[in-house]
Amino acid sequence: MSKNKPRTLVVAGLGVGQILAWGSSYYLLAILAEPVTADTGWPATLVVAGLSIGLVTSAFVAPRVGSRIGQGHGRRLLILSAALLSAGLVLMAVSPVLWVYLVAWVVIGLGMGTGLYSSAFATLGQLYGESARTSITALTLFGGLASTICWPLSLYLVSEIGWRGTCGVYAALQLVVTIPLYLWVLPRRRLNERARENTGVAVRNVDVRPRRPSGTSVVLLTSIVTLSGLITTTMSVHMFTLLGAVGFGMAAALALATLVGPSQVGIRFVELLFGKRHHPLWTMAASVLLVGLGLGTLSAGLPLYALIMILYGAGIGLASIAHGTVPLAVFGAEGYASLMGRIALPALLAQAAAPPLGTLLIDTIGASATSTTLALAALANIGLVVWMMLLTRFQSVRVRAASVLTPDASGGKRAIIH
């Protein structure tokens, strides 16, 4: 890639790839599960379990992927992701029996772990260093359109060529759109070398040593991201059941649910415009607060259901941005890709566990009590974010105080950038 390749073009190329990656993996079964079950006679629970298998697979490859991106191999891994998604979709399209279908989800899971948000964020972090925040935010605008674009596309394809043909079309799109796009917009050389060019500004008497993340901060951040994933995946999978418990039929519940997508995209656009004015931890705080307000209002039984969907949608819209930008801002660009992979492991496992866990809760304690449980979990997440903010503030003050006593070679003082 040329040095003068515009950043907007890089983000747009990654964004199109993300739309197709999410649409042909995470969002695929929302439309295909019923046709697959009807056509094959396979148990619906096992058909839907394919996604959980994919998420578990992606969780276990994520740390290794993050480490490899940290070594400068983001371009190769994103291209490999598209190839794996294509291979998995082809295998799914031709699967004659259930076990082959489930193996196909293992392959798709490898593609998910190699090429969804965590990998794309890590690649941008390696490419642009600590200036990647705006690019990450812009990328989530594309990701937020995945269901809006791919659900209607999947529905049309299924009606025209069946679920197997739909898988074949998505496989072809990975090969003829995503891979050429990544080859074009991403640099050939190691991304960490490019990052040093973008961020390596010579500053006199300034120590630019990398920040070492404290164990407590990493555990807190991982807990926040994991709990967020558990809450939002449970809510997404069981939203219609929870709304049905308060008296909404399917048509009315679907109309309410359509408010979530525009809320996600709208709040991300606001963050893109004004995000530079505040620390990403405030974005994370706003995210968990909005989700907490939405779920709290639902569990309280207040008849403000449109507002609930808007608050919830805005909260999860900010969550994707915060999960990519907070590690970069708090811990720095050095080791960012590796850290993203480590955080992704428990978060993806939680997402995989969320659908059956939600079903168990609803069957055991009922839909109303499940809503209350989710609201309490969201409240706990607010507490974790507050703790993270206080801890980060304390560490920053401590580092600044220590820098006053750090002499340079000439006997003067040097500041430490944090």
Side-chain angles (χ1 to χ4, degrees):
M1 186 180 84
S2 168
K3 282 187 176 183
N4 297 321
K5 185 79 74 176
R7 187 187 296 206
T8 52
L9 187 60
V10 174
V11 173
L14 276 173
V16 173
Q18 287 296 295
I19 289 174
L20 293 177
W22 284 93
S24 57
S25 59
Y26 189 85
Y27 293 119
L28 187 66
L29 286 185
I31 303 299
L32 263 63
E34 186 175 340
V36 171
T37 302
D39 178 55
T40 62
W42 300 334
T45 53
L46 291 179
V47 169
V48 175
L51 178 58
S52 293
I53 290 171
L55 287 169
V56 170
T57 304
S58 66
F60 284 108
V61 302
R64 178 62 176 166
V65 168
S67 176
R68 295 291 289 170
I69 292 176
Q71 295 168 10
H73 302 295
R75 182 176 187 264
R76 293 180 185 176
L77 288 166
L78 287 170
I79 292 169
L80 175 62
S81 167
L84 287 168
L85 288 173
S86 182
L89 288 163
V90 168
L91 186 59
M92 184 185 299
V94 301
S95 54
V97 291
L98 178 60
W99 71 265
V100 176
Y101 166 86
L102 296 177
V103 170
W105 272 104
V106 172
V107 180
I108 291 173
L110 293 172
M112 294 167 69
T114 311
L116 292 187
Y117 268 160
S118 292
S119 298
F121 292 163
T123 300
L124 288 173
Q126 284 291 296
L127 184 55
Y128 299 119
E130 294 188 35
S131 68
R133 177 179 178 180
T134 302
S135 301
I136 290 171
T137 303
L139 185 63
T140 63
L141 285 173
F142 285 90
L145 297 173
S147 61
T148 303
I149 293 172
C150 291
W151 279 347
L153 176 61
S154 297
L155 194 61
Y156 170 78
L157 290 172
V158 167
S159 66
E160 294 295 320
I161 57 177
W163 70 269
R164 295 183 187 272
T166 301
C167 291
V169 169
Y170 278 123
L173 288 173
Q174 294 296 327
L175 294 178
V176 302
V177 177
T178 305
I179 290 179
L181 204 52
Y182 287 164
L183 286 168
W184 180 44
V185 303
L186 294 174
R188 292 181 179 277
R189 57 193 168 131
R190 293 164 65 90
L191 294 181
N192 54 1
E193 294 174 5
R194 182 64 181 272
R196 283 196 290 270
E197 290 181 7
N198 283 294
T199 60
V201 181
V203 182
R204 197 172 194 176
N205 291 329
V206 173
D207 186 351
V208 291
R209 290 174 296 184
R211 282 160 276 185
R212 293 183 179 274
S214 73
T216 304
S217 297
V218 172
V219 169
L220 272 175
L221 181 58
T222 302
S223 300
I224 293 163
V225 174
T226 300
L227 189 54
S228 292
L230 185 64
I231 293 168
T232 56
T233 305
T234 303
M235 184 66 181
S236 297
V237 172
H238 298 288
M239 182 181 294
F240 296 118
T241 301
L242 298 178
L243 290 175
V246 294
F248 284 93
M250 178 55 72
L254 183 61
L256 276 174
T258 58
L259 296 174
V260 173
S263 299
Q264 281 183 272
V265 175
I267 199 69
R268 287 171 179 172
F269 186 70
V270 171
E271 173 71 12
L272 181 64
L273 293 178
F274 303 107
K276 289 184 178 180
R277 300 182 182 182
H278 59 264
H279 194 281
L281 274 170
W282 287 106
T283 301
M284 179 170 277
S287 166
V288 296
L289 182 61
L290 288 167
V291 170
L293 286 173
L295 294 179
T297 304
L298 178 63
S299 67
L302 299 177
L304 304 170
Y305 299 108
L307 178 63
I308 289 169
M309 293 296 105
I310 292 171
L311 290 172
Y312 173 75
I316 63 175
L318 288 178
S320 297
I321 298 172
H323 297 168
T325 57
V326 168
L328 189 62
V330 173
F331 304 123
E334 186 73 22
Y336 170 71
S338 179
L339 180 62
M340 288 294 289
R342 288 161 54 196
I343 292 172
L345 172 57
L348 289 168
L349 288 176
Q351 291 179 47
L357 180 60
T359 300
L360 178 64
L361 284 173
I362 291 170
D363 291 344
T364 304
I365 62 177
S368 178
T370 298
S371 295
T372 301
T373 302
L374 291 174
L376 291 173
L379 180 62
N381 223 18
I382 293 173
L384 290 175
V385 172
V386 171
W387 186 3
M388 179 83 181
M389 295 177 78
L390 292 174
L391 180 64
T392 302
R393 178 184 175 88
F394 168 74
Q395 289 175 334
S396 298
V397 170
R398 183 177 62 188
V399 167
R400 284 198 297 270
S403 70
V404 175
L405 303 177
T406 305
D408 63 15
S410 62
K413 306 296 182 182
R414 58 181 179 177
I416 298 177
I417 293 180
H418 277 269

